[in-house]
Amino acid sequence: MWRPDINEWKWAKSIGGTYYDYATDVVGHPSGGAIVVGRIQNAVVQFGDTELESQSTSNTLGFMAKIEDNGTWSWAEGIGDSGYNFARTVDIDSNGDVIVAGEFSNNLTLGNFTVTESNTASVSLKDIFVAKYDETNSDWVWLAKGGGIDGASVSDMDIDSQDRIIVGGLFEGYAEFGNYNLSACNYSTSTTSDIMIVQLETNGTWDSANMMGRCGDDNNVKVSVDPVDNILV
């Protein structure tokens, strides 16, 4: 943590082991401290008193953890079962609930909710997930998935004034988000990646899906919501 008022670093923390572990996003917590997300590849990683375990070094486990103002870990949640799992981005809505988004393969179970990847035959292609976590009750509120047999990924997320969730990322070929579907350029003849901007209501239902890009591979995208809820890409 950096204290700009005194021009001084207060503390620094590390997690992980001999394999590849990443922290990919952080958001300040209303009560102080922060929520951190990412992925671990090591068999066991310690967050204070909480131990998270990946099934093997060939699998990855997403994580979401709270770190306090003094640099101590207060809780951590694992995100994923077997296969590839990655918590990419995190935010906090107006009610104090934590929203996390990323990718998963095979099956993903969070609390009482389970989703299954669209293409279980491929270990390299993933679907995206978005989930809401009630920190007060240590409970998952809902879990949504999107994507298709050619894969999708998350690069950024923001929340508007109505607590609607906007997710930016990439998809290949054909992807479904609830009742909305997207087809990449030249989908019938080749598989290329296009940019997706998808939105969920505060209850976790898909509200819209839009795309942009040319007939070739496009890069990851950043999203932001302005004061009147316009989405900037």
Side-chain angles (χ1 to χ4, degrees):
M1 174 187 282
W2 171 256
R3 284 279 304 274
D5 55 330
I6 58 175
N7 199 36
E8 183 179 304
W9 290 102
K10 297 302 293 181
W11 51 260
K13 294 289 181 178
S14 66
I15 59 168
T18 56
Y19 291 94
Y20 297 103
D21 307 298
Y22 301 97
T24 53
D25 198 16
V26 60
V27 61
H29 196 278
S31 65
I35 306 291
V36 185
V37 298
R39 76 160 210 195
I40 58 175
Q41 192 174 359
N42 284 271
V44 175
V45 173
Q46 201 78 25
F47 295 82
D49 295 332
T50 304
E51 187 177 89
L52 298 183
E53 182 175 0
S54 179
Q55 290 195 358
S56 74
T57 56
S58 62
N59 296 317
T60 60
L61 178 71
F63 75 85
M64 179 176 68
K66 170 75 181 299
I67 193 165
E68 301 295 342
D69 273 336
N70 61 4
T72 60
W73 297 102
S74 58
W75 56 261
E77 289 278 339
I79 297 175
D81 301 317
S82 63
Y84 175 97
N85 304 278
F86 207 143
R88 293 274 185 187
T89 184
V90 64
D91 209 341
I92 297 176
D93 68 16
S94 64
N95 296 313
D97 293 325
V98 182
I99 310 297
V100 58
E103 298 104 43
F104 75 99
S105 64
N106 299 330
N107 297 315
L108 173 61
T109 298
L110 298 176
N112 296 321
F113 308 97
T114 298
V115 291
T116 300
E117 179 193 5
S118 301
N119 187 354
T120 56
S122 172
V123 296
S124 62
L125 300 177
K126 288 84 61 179
D127 278 357
I128 73 165
F129 73 89
V130 186
K132 176 183 281 193
Y133 182 73
D134 178 356
E135 182 188 359
T136 302
N137 296 305
S138 302
D139 191 29
W140 292 98
V141 180
W142 51 255
L143 170 64
K145 80 150 193 176
I149 61 172
D150 298 310
S153 62
V154 170
S155 58
D156 200 15
M157 177 176 64
D158 204 357
I159 299 175
D160 71 11
S161 65
Q162 305 300 311
D163 282 335
R164 293 173 296 216
I165 302 145
I166 296 89
V167 178
L170 297 175
F171 75 99
E172 294 190 10
Y174 175 83
E176 294 182 347
F177 304 91
N179 296 323
Y180 304 91
N181 59 74
L182 301 174
S183 294
C185 181
N186 291 334
Y187 169 58
S188 60
T189 57
S190 64
T191 301
T192 58
S193 61
D194 277 354
I195 294 168
M196 65 181 188
I197 307 296
V198 293
Q199 181 171 294
L200 300 94
E201 293 289 351
T202 187
N203 63 1
T205 59
W206 293 104
D207 184 52
S208 67
N210 292 281
M211 60 174 285
M212 57 188 293
R214 302 179 62 186
C215 291
D217 286 328
D218 298 301
N219 290 321
N220 285 331
V221 62
K222 301 289 287 183
V223 295
S224 184
V225 178
D226 73 9
V228 292
D229 288 343
N230 293 313
I231 301 170
L232 306 176
V233 180

